[in-house]
Each structure stands twice: as C-alpha cells, then as structure tokens.
C-alpha cells in the first residue's frame, strides 16, 4: 500500500465506516469517468493507426479501451488502498466490474453468443472480486470439491469451468486473429485478389492448428490416452470427412493455380454466373437471376469448366440477324454495324464486325460480332440492346425481315392424286 495513506485516511473527520466507503465509491466513479474521456480521445487515433484492429473489433474499440483504462486505474487503486475494510471491497468490485465489461465487449465484438459471454463475465467478476479480497482460495476449493470419478480420473466443477473458459477464450482469440490477419492481408500491396484469399485461408488454418495445441497444453490433456482407439477413430473420421477434406484441398489448389478466382465468369454444367466466393467446401456462383449456386470445389477440379475471364475479360458475343432478299444488303450491313457501335456495353476496340454467313430459304443470314469486357453483366442484355436499336434502324430505312413462307398447291379438278 502507499506509505502514509492509512494515516491520511485516519485524519479524515467523521466515522471511518461511512467516510471511507464514500471516498472509495467517489474514487471509482471518478476513475471510470476519466477512463471514458481518455478512451473517447484515444480511440479515433488508435483506429486510424491500427485500422485492422479497429475493424476486427467491429465498432467496440472505444468501450474496450474504456474498460481497459478503467481496469488498470482500479487495479492501482486496489493495490494502494488498505486491505480489510468495506472501502477496499468497493474498489475490488469496481475492478471486477470493469474486467467483466471488458470481457463482454471483447467477446461480443467477435460475435460470441450471449449464452457463452454472460457466464464467462460472471465467472470473471467472482474470481477478481474474491481474489482481490484474498478469498479466492475458498471459492476454488469449493468448486474443486464438487466432482465425480470416471475411472482413474476425477472430473470436478472447477475443471469444467476452467475448460469452458479456456475454450471460449481460445475461440475468441482465433476469431480476433483471423479478423486482424484477414484485414491486414487485404491491404497488403503486391498481391492480387486470388493470392490474398489464399493467404487468408492458409493463415486461418495455421491459427486454428496453433489454438488447438495451445488448448491441449493449457487444459493438460494427455493425448497418449487416445492411442487405444486413435487408429479406429482416425479411420472413421477419414472416411466420414473424405469429401470435406477433398473439397478443402481442391479449393486451395484452385487458388494456387489461379484457374478460378473471385470475379471470374464461369459456366459449369447448367450454372452460369460470376464467382462470388471460394469457400472451404464450395464455390459461390451468382447467376444473372440473383440465384447463388454452391458448387463443390471438387467438381471444379474434375469437370469441364468454361471460364470467360481466365486470361482476358473480353468476350465476343454473336448476334444472328436475317434480312429479306429484296433488301439493300450493303445498307442493312451498315445499319447492323451502326446499331452495334451505338450500344454502350460494346467495345470500340476490338471493333464490332458483321459477317454474311448463309443464304437461307427466305432470308440472307448475318452475324453481328461484338466484344464486351463485363461478362458478369450477361450477354442477353447486349443482344437485346443491339437488336432493339437495329429494329428501329431497319424500320426507318425500309429493311425487311421476312416471315417464313410456305406455298400449298391445291389439286386440280379431275386429278387422280389424293
């Protein structure tokens, strides 16, 4: 404790049983308000300096910083205040409340369910309050005394609580690490979108593996106890998760060879659309109808995939048009070219072209060939726009599009033909 503080408190007028708790409560409120002001001042600067951390905490940076400062100030006050009176208990409760609120905001920012957050916060409050008051040992002994025996091991309530708290803490740390690493990789220069996505997935796998071994070490789990049935369990898991691991490896391979990447326009079977996301199990493909097709990664490795934007985003669209034999072909072709050039999605380079492809039964067949650079917008809208413009041009210039004709000859009178 601070030298001279008990003597200073002893000089205060009034009943110490009343004055000291009031001073402790006022000190706790003052420290909490000062911590809030400091957090309001420092949080915008920390968010600008550590943008990945600010975004990872999902808007909870200021309250988290508030309770970090408040807990640090309360801890100093608890350390310096004399132990053994009610005022010390008030400061200890303020410290425990600050740490509990810090845990609540931190876990909620990582999308941890409330059913897991509230028990952890309550447990932390009890532990800090009893520990700072010198009474945590009886609480721990009480929790350790409640348990059952399972073979040669004894499972206690204290062990279960410690295991649950450790699992929640590791889960929260994994999410926080994944968010920070993901946002840091997203802002990395010199990497394209596919390389960033691959780095994020590899980093997420590394974080999960590291958390698993840290959890095993913290919980004191003896992995040699599983040697009896580890072979059978591994075989069963291998068969059960064969497709899952196959899709995981296929997704990593797709990202490594960059054959399919987010934003590509692909055709797989009857699915046509642009790649929205390459997940652990499946690739999300969004169609022009707004439907999202989830295609397993293995299918993209084993089936034929048509990638419209693999090496070049320019795609050629073929628009068939037929005109009558009595039309001015040179004028009709000029109008086709003009309709294509006036369409906003059609590229000027490579320039549009018109080909005469065949002489049909009742019309002259042409193909309008245009190029677009945004295949994710679909090709139907380009055809529709060009044909609408061409219809108006044909109508204004007397170019006809003939109907199919069929000539039926009626049998003459007296003919023996049926």
């Amino acid at each position: 404790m601070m030298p001279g503080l008990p003597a200073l408190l002893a000089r205060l007028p009034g009943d110490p049983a009343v004055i000291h708790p009031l001073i402790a409560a006022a000190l706790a409120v003052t420290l909490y308000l000062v911590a809030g002001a400091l957090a309001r001042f420092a949080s915008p600067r920390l968010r600008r300096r550590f943008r990945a951390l600010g975004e990872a905490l999902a808007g909870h940076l200021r309250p988290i910083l508030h309770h970090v400062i408040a807990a640090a100030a309360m801890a100093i006050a608890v350390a310096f205040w004399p132990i053994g009176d009610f005022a010390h208990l008030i400061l200890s409760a303020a410290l425990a409340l600050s740490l509990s609120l810090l845990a609540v905001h931190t876990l909620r920012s990582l999308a941890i369910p409330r059913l897991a957050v509230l028990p952890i916060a309550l447990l932390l409050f009890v532990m800090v309050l009893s520990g700072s008051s010198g009474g945590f040992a009886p609480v721990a002994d009480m929790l350790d005394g409640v348990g059952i025996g399972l073979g040669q091991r004894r499972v206690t309530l204290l062990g279960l609580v410690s295991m649950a708290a450790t699992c929640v803490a590791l889960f929260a740390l994994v999410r926080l690490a994944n968010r920070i690493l993901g946002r840091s990789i997203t802002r990395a220069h010199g990497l394209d979108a596919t390389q960033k996505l691959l780095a994020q997935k590899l980093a997420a796998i590394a974080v999960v593996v590291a958390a698993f071994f840290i959890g095993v070490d913290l919980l004191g789990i003896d992995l040699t106890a599983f040697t009896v049935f580890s072979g059978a369990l591994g075989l069963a898991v291998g068969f059960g998760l064969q497709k899952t691991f196959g899709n995981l490896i296929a997704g990593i391979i797709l990202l490594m060879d960059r054959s399919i990447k987010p934003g590509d326009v692909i055709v797989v079977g009857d699915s046509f659309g642009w790649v929205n996301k390459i997940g652990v199990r499946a690739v999300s493909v969004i169609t022009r109808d707004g439907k999202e097709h989830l295609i397993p990664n293995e299918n993209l490795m084993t089936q034929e995939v048509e990638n419209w934007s693999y090496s070049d985003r320019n795609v050629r669209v073929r628009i068939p048009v037929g005109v009558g034999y009595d039309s001015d072909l040179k004028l009709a072709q000029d109008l086709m070219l003009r309709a294509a050039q006036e369409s906003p999605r059609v590229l000027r380079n490579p320039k549009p072209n018109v080909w005469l492809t065949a002489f049909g039964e009742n019309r002259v067949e042409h193909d309008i060939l245009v190029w677009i650079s945004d295949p994710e917008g679909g090709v139907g809208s380009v055809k529709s726009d060009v044909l609408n413009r061409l219809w108006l041009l044909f109508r204004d210039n007397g170019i006809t599009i003939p109907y199919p004709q069929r000539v039926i000859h009626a049998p003459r009178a007296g003919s023996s033909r049926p």
Side-chain angles (χ1 to χ4, degrees), residues 110 167 169-183 185 198-216:
L110 300 173
C167 291
L170 287 175
F171 184 69
L173 289 176
V174 167
R175 283 200 170 183
L176 179 61
N178 284 336
R179 288 186 179 183
I180 294 177
L181 290 174
R183 284 163 174 79
I185 293 172
L198 176 60
Q200 289 174 354
K201 291 188 177 300
L202 295 178
I205 294 174
V207 169
V208 171
V209 172
F212 172 77
F213 286 106
I214 291 174
V216 168

Short mmCIF file of all heavy atoms in Angstrom, two decimals, residues 110 167 169-183 185 198-216:
data_model
loop_
_atom_site.label_atom_id
_atom_site.label_comp_id
_atom_site.label_asym_id
_atom_site.label_seq_id
_atom_site.Cartn_x
_atom_site.Cartn_y
_atom_site.Cartn_z
N LEU A 110 -16.55 -10.09 -31.24
CA LEU A 110 -16.14 -11.23 -32.04
C LEU A 110 -17.31 -12.17 -32.32
O LEU A 110 -17.10 -13.32 -32.73
CB LEU A 110 -15.03 -11.99 -31.32
CG LEU A 110 -13.77 -11.17 -31.05
CD1 LEU A 110 -12.80 -11.94 -30.18
CD2 LEU A 110 -13.11 -10.76 -32.34
N CYS A 167 -11.83 -22.72 -23.54
CA CYS A 167 -12.34 -22.93 -24.90
C CYS A 167 -12.93 -21.63 -25.47
O CYS A 167 -12.69 -21.28 -26.63
CB CYS A 167 -13.39 -24.03 -24.90
SG CYS A 167 -12.72 -25.69 -24.57
N ALA A 169 -12.21 -18.57 -24.52
CA ALA A 169 -11.11 -17.61 -24.73
C ALA A 169 -10.33 -17.93 -26.00
O ALA A 169 -10.00 -17.04 -26.79
CB ALA A 169 -10.19 -17.60 -23.51
N LEU A 170 -10.03 -19.21 -26.22
CA LEU A 170 -9.30 -19.60 -27.43
C LEU A 170 -10.13 -19.35 -28.68
O LEU A 170 -9.61 -18.89 -29.71
CB LEU A 170 -8.90 -21.07 -27.35
CG LEU A 170 -7.76 -21.41 -26.38
CD1 LEU A 170 -7.55 -22.91 -26.33
CD2 LEU A 170 -6.46 -20.71 -26.81
N PHE A 171 -11.44 -19.62 -28.61
CA PHE A 171 -12.31 -19.37 -29.75
C PHE A 171 -12.33 -17.88 -30.08
O PHE A 171 -12.28 -17.49 -31.26
CB PHE A 171 -13.72 -19.88 -29.43
CG PHE A 171 -14.69 -19.76 -30.57
CD1 PHE A 171 -14.55 -20.54 -31.70
CD2 PHE A 171 -15.74 -18.85 -30.51
CE1 PHE A 171 -15.43 -20.43 -32.76
CE2 PHE A 171 -16.62 -18.73 -31.55
CZ PHE A 171 -16.47 -19.52 -32.69
N ALA A 172 -12.41 -17.05 -29.04
CA ALA A 172 -12.40 -15.61 -29.27
C ALA A 172 -11.06 -15.15 -29.85
O ALA A 172 -11.02 -14.30 -30.75
CB ALA A 172 -12.69 -14.87 -27.96
N LEU A 173 -9.96 -15.70 -29.34
CA LEU A 173 -8.65 -15.32 -29.86
C LEU A 173 -8.48 -15.76 -31.32
O LEU A 173 -7.87 -15.04 -32.12
CB LEU A 173 -7.55 -15.93 -28.99
CG LEU A 173 -7.38 -15.33 -27.59
CD1 LEU A 173 -6.33 -16.09 -26.81
CD2 LEU A 173 -7.00 -13.85 -27.70
N VAL A 174 -9.02 -16.93 -31.67
CA VAL A 174 -8.95 -17.38 -33.05
C VAL A 174 -9.70 -16.43 -33.97
O VAL A 174 -9.21 -16.05 -35.04
CB VAL A 174 -9.50 -18.82 -33.17
CG1 VAL A 174 -9.74 -19.20 -34.63
CG2 VAL A 174 -8.53 -19.81 -32.55
N ARG A 175 -10.90 -16.03 -33.56
CA ARG A 175 -11.67 -15.10 -34.38
C ARG A 175 -10.97 -13.75 -34.50
O ARG A 175 -10.92 -13.15 -35.59
CB ARG A 175 -13.06 -14.90 -33.78
CG ARG A 175 -14.02 -16.04 -34.06
CD ARG A 175 -15.45 -15.61 -33.90
NE ARG A 175 -16.35 -16.64 -34.38
CZ ARG A 175 -17.67 -16.49 -34.41
NH1 ARG A 175 -18.22 -15.37 -33.99
NH2 ARG A 175 -18.44 -17.46 -34.86
N LEU A 176 -10.44 -13.26 -33.39
CA LEU A 176 -9.74 -11.98 -33.43
C LEU A 176 -8.51 -12.06 -34.33
O LEU A 176 -8.26 -11.16 -35.15
CB LEU A 176 -9.35 -11.55 -32.02
CG LEU A 176 -8.59 -10.22 -31.88
CD1 LEU A 176 -9.45 -9.08 -32.40
CD2 LEU A 176 -8.19 -9.98 -30.44
N ALA A 177 -7.74 -13.13 -34.19
CA ALA A 177 -6.55 -13.28 -35.03
C ALA A 177 -6.92 -13.40 -36.50
O ALA A 177 -6.26 -12.79 -37.37
CB ALA A 177 -5.75 -14.51 -34.58
N ASN A 178 -7.97 -14.15 -36.80
CA ASN A 178 -8.39 -14.29 -38.20
C ASN A 178 -8.85 -12.96 -38.78
O ASN A 178 -8.56 -12.64 -39.94
CB ASN A 178 -9.52 -15.32 -38.32
CG ASN A 178 -9.00 -16.75 -38.19
OD1 ASN A 178 -7.83 -17.01 -38.46
ND2 ASN A 178 -9.86 -17.66 -37.80
N ARG A 179 -9.56 -12.18 -37.99
CA ARG A 179 -10.01 -10.87 -38.48
C ARG A 179 -8.84 -9.93 -38.72
O ARG A 179 -8.77 -9.25 -39.75
CB ARG A 179 -10.99 -10.24 -37.49
CG ARG A 179 -12.35 -10.91 -37.46
CD ARG A 179 -13.30 -10.15 -36.56
NE ARG A 179 -14.63 -10.76 -36.53
CZ ARG A 179 -15.66 -10.26 -35.88
NH1 ARG A 179 -15.52 -9.13 -35.19
NH2 ARG A 179 -16.83 -10.86 -35.89
N ILE A 180 -7.92 -9.88 -37.78
CA ILE A 180 -6.77 -8.98 -37.93
C ILE A 180 -5.91 -9.41 -39.11
O ILE A 180 -5.51 -8.58 -39.95
CB ILE A 180 -5.95 -8.94 -36.62
CG1 ILE A 180 -6.78 -8.30 -35.50
CG2 ILE A 180 -4.66 -8.15 -36.84
CD1 ILE A 180 -6.07 -8.30 -34.16
N LEU A 181 -5.62 -10.70 -39.19
CA LEU A 181 -4.79 -11.19 -40.31
C LEU A 181 -5.51 -11.00 -41.64
O LEU A 181 -4.89 -10.61 -42.64
CB LEU A 181 -4.47 -12.67 -40.10
CG LEU A 181 -3.49 -12.99 -38.96
CD1 LEU A 181 -3.36 -14.50 -38.77
CD2 LEU A 181 -2.12 -12.38 -39.23
N GLY A 182 -6.83 -11.26 -41.66
CA GLY A 182 -7.58 -11.11 -42.91
C GLY A 182 -7.56 -9.69 -43.41
O GLY A 182 -7.34 -9.43 -44.61
N ARG A 183 -7.78 -8.73 -42.52
CA ARG A 183 -7.79 -7.33 -42.95
C ARG A 183 -6.38 -6.84 -43.28
O ARG A 183 -6.20 -6.01 -44.16
CB ARG A 183 -8.43 -6.46 -41.87
CG ARG A 183 -9.95 -6.60 -41.85
CD ARG A 183 -10.56 -6.09 -40.55
NE ARG A 183 -12.00 -6.11 -40.63
CZ ARG A 183 -12.75 -7.20 -40.46
NH1 ARG A 183 -12.17 -8.36 -40.23
NH2 ARG A 183 -14.06 -7.14 -40.55
N ILE A 185 -4.01 -8.73 -44.58
CA ILE A 185 -3.69 -9.32 -45.89
C ILE A 185 -4.45 -8.60 -46.99
O ILE A 185 -3.94 -8.39 -48.09
CB ILE A 185 -4.00 -10.82 -45.88
CG1 ILE A 185 -3.04 -11.55 -44.93
CG2 ILE A 185 -3.89 -11.41 -47.27
CD1 ILE A 185 -3.39 -13.01 -44.71
N LEU A 198 -5.96 -16.81 -50.83
CA LEU A 198 -5.19 -17.99 -50.47
C LEU A 198 -4.42 -17.76 -49.17
O LEU A 198 -4.39 -18.63 -48.28
CB LEU A 198 -4.23 -18.35 -51.61
CG LEU A 198 -3.27 -19.52 -51.34
CD1 LEU A 198 -4.06 -20.80 -51.08
CD2 LEU A 198 -2.31 -19.71 -52.51
N ALA A 199 -3.81 -16.59 -49.04
CA ALA A 199 -3.06 -16.27 -47.81
C ALA A 199 -4.00 -16.23 -46.60
O ALA A 199 -3.64 -16.70 -45.52
CB ALA A 199 -2.34 -14.94 -47.97
N GLN A 200 -5.21 -15.71 -46.78
CA GLN A 200 -6.17 -15.68 -45.68
C GLN A 200 -6.56 -17.08 -45.23
O GLN A 200 -6.65 -17.37 -44.03
CB GLN A 200 -7.41 -14.89 -46.09
CG GLN A 200 -7.17 -13.39 -46.21
CD GLN A 200 -8.37 -12.66 -46.77
OE1 GLN A 200 -9.36 -13.28 -47.17
NE2 GLN A 200 -8.31 -11.35 -46.82
N LYS A 201 -6.79 -17.97 -46.19
CA LYS A 201 -7.20 -19.33 -45.83
C LYS A 201 -6.05 -20.08 -45.15
O LYS A 201 -6.27 -20.79 -44.15
CB LYS A 201 -7.66 -20.08 -47.09
CG LYS A 201 -8.98 -19.56 -47.65
CD LYS A 201 -9.49 -20.43 -48.75
CE LYS A 201 -10.83 -19.91 -49.25
NZ LYS A 201 -11.85 -19.90 -48.18
N LEU A 202 -4.83 -19.94 -45.65
CA LEU A 202 -3.70 -20.61 -45.02
C LEU A 202 -3.44 -20.05 -43.62
O LEU A 202 -3.14 -20.81 -42.68
CB LEU A 202 -2.45 -20.45 -45.89
CG LEU A 202 -2.50 -21.15 -47.26
CD1 LEU A 202 -1.21 -20.88 -48.03
CD2 LEU A 202 -2.70 -22.66 -47.09
N ALA A 203 -3.59 -18.74 -43.45
CA ALA A 203 -3.41 -18.14 -42.13
C ALA A 203 -4.49 -18.62 -41.17
O ALA A 203 -4.21 -18.89 -39.98
CB ALA A 203 -3.45 -16.61 -42.24
N ALA A 204 -5.73 -18.75 -41.65
CA ALA A 204 -6.81 -19.24 -40.79
C ALA A 204 -6.55 -20.67 -40.34
O ALA A 204 -6.77 -21.02 -39.17
CB ALA A 204 -8.15 -19.14 -41.52
N ILE A 205 -6.06 -21.52 -41.25
CA ILE A 205 -5.74 -22.90 -40.88
C ILE A 205 -4.61 -22.93 -39.85
O ILE A 205 -4.67 -23.69 -38.86
CB ILE A 205 -5.38 -23.71 -42.14
CG1 ILE A 205 -6.59 -23.84 -43.07
CG2 ILE A 205 -4.85 -25.09 -41.76
CD1 ILE A 205 -6.26 -24.50 -44.40
N ALA A 206 -3.59 -22.10 -40.04
CA ALA A 206 -2.47 -22.07 -39.10
C ALA A 206 -2.92 -21.60 -37.72
O ALA A 206 -2.48 -22.14 -36.70
CB ALA A 206 -1.37 -21.16 -39.65
N VAL A 207 -3.81 -20.61 -37.68
CA VAL A 207 -4.30 -20.11 -36.38
C VAL A 207 -5.09 -21.18 -35.65
O VAL A 207 -4.94 -21.38 -34.43
CB VAL A 207 -5.16 -18.84 -36.61
CG1 VAL A 207 -5.90 -18.45 -35.33
CG2 VAL A 207 -4.28 -17.68 -37.05
N VAL A 208 -5.95 -21.91 -36.37
CA VAL A 208 -6.75 -22.97 -35.74
C VAL A 208 -5.85 -24.08 -35.21
O VAL A 208 -6.05 -24.58 -34.08
CB VAL A 208 -7.78 -23.52 -36.74
CG1 VAL A 208 -8.47 -24.75 -36.18
CG2 VAL A 208 -8.82 -22.46 -37.08
N VAL A 209 -4.86 -24.48 -35.99
CA VAL A 209 -3.95 -25.54 -35.53
C VAL A 209 -3.17 -25.09 -34.29
O VAL A 209 -3.02 -25.84 -33.30
CB VAL A 209 -2.99 -25.94 -36.67
CG1 VAL A 209 -1.91 -26.88 -36.16
CG2 VAL A 209 -3.76 -26.59 -37.81
N ALA A 210 -2.68 -23.85 -34.30
CA ALA A 210 -1.95 -23.33 -33.14
C ALA A 210 -2.85 -23.25 -31.92
O ALA A 210 -2.44 -23.61 -30.80
CB ALA A 210 -1.37 -21.95 -33.47
N ALA A 211 -4.10 -22.81 -32.10
CA ALA A 211 -5.04 -22.74 -30.97
C ALA A 211 -5.34 -24.12 -30.41
O ALA A 211 -5.48 -24.30 -29.19
CB ALA A 211 -6.33 -22.06 -31.41
N PHE A 212 -5.42 -25.12 -31.27
CA PHE A 212 -5.68 -26.49 -30.80
C PHE A 212 -4.55 -26.97 -29.89
O PHE A 212 -4.81 -27.49 -28.79
CB PHE A 212 -5.84 -27.42 -32.00
CG PHE A 212 -5.92 -28.88 -31.64
CD1 PHE A 212 -7.09 -29.40 -31.12
CD2 PHE A 212 -4.82 -29.71 -31.79
CE1 PHE A 212 -7.16 -30.75 -30.77
CE2 PHE A 212 -4.88 -31.05 -31.45
CZ PHE A 212 -6.05 -31.57 -30.93
N PHE A 213 -3.31 -26.81 -30.30
CA PHE A 213 -2.20 -27.30 -29.48
C PHE A 213 -2.04 -26.46 -28.21
O PHE A 213 -1.68 -26.99 -27.15
CB PHE A 213 -0.90 -27.30 -30.30
CG PHE A 213 -0.84 -28.40 -31.32
CD1 PHE A 213 -0.99 -28.14 -32.67
CD2 PHE A 213 -0.65 -29.72 -30.92
CE1 PHE A 213 -0.94 -29.16 -33.60
CE2 PHE A 213 -0.59 -30.74 -31.84
CZ PHE A 213 -0.74 -30.47 -33.19
N ILE A 214 -2.32 -25.17 -28.30
CA ILE A 214 -2.26 -24.34 -27.08
C ILE A 214 -3.34 -24.78 -26.10
O ILE A 214 -3.11 -24.87 -24.88
CB ILE A 214 -2.42 -22.85 -27.45
CG1 ILE A 214 -1.19 -22.37 -28.22
CG2 ILE A 214 -2.62 -22.00 -26.20
CD1 ILE A 214 -1.32 -20.95 -28.73
N GLY A 215 -4.54 -25.06 -26.62
CA GLY A 215 -5.62 -25.52 -25.75
C GLY A 215 -5.30 -26.86 -25.11
O GLY A 215 -5.58 -27.07 -23.92
N VAL A 216 -4.72 -27.77 -25.86
CA VAL A 216 -4.33 -29.07 -25.29
C VAL A 216 -3.32 -28.88 -24.18
O VAL A 216 -3.39 -29.53 -23.12
CB VAL A 216 -3.78 -29.98 -26.41
CG1 VAL A 216 -3.10 -31.21 -25.82
CG2 VAL A 216 -4.89 -30.39 -27.36
#
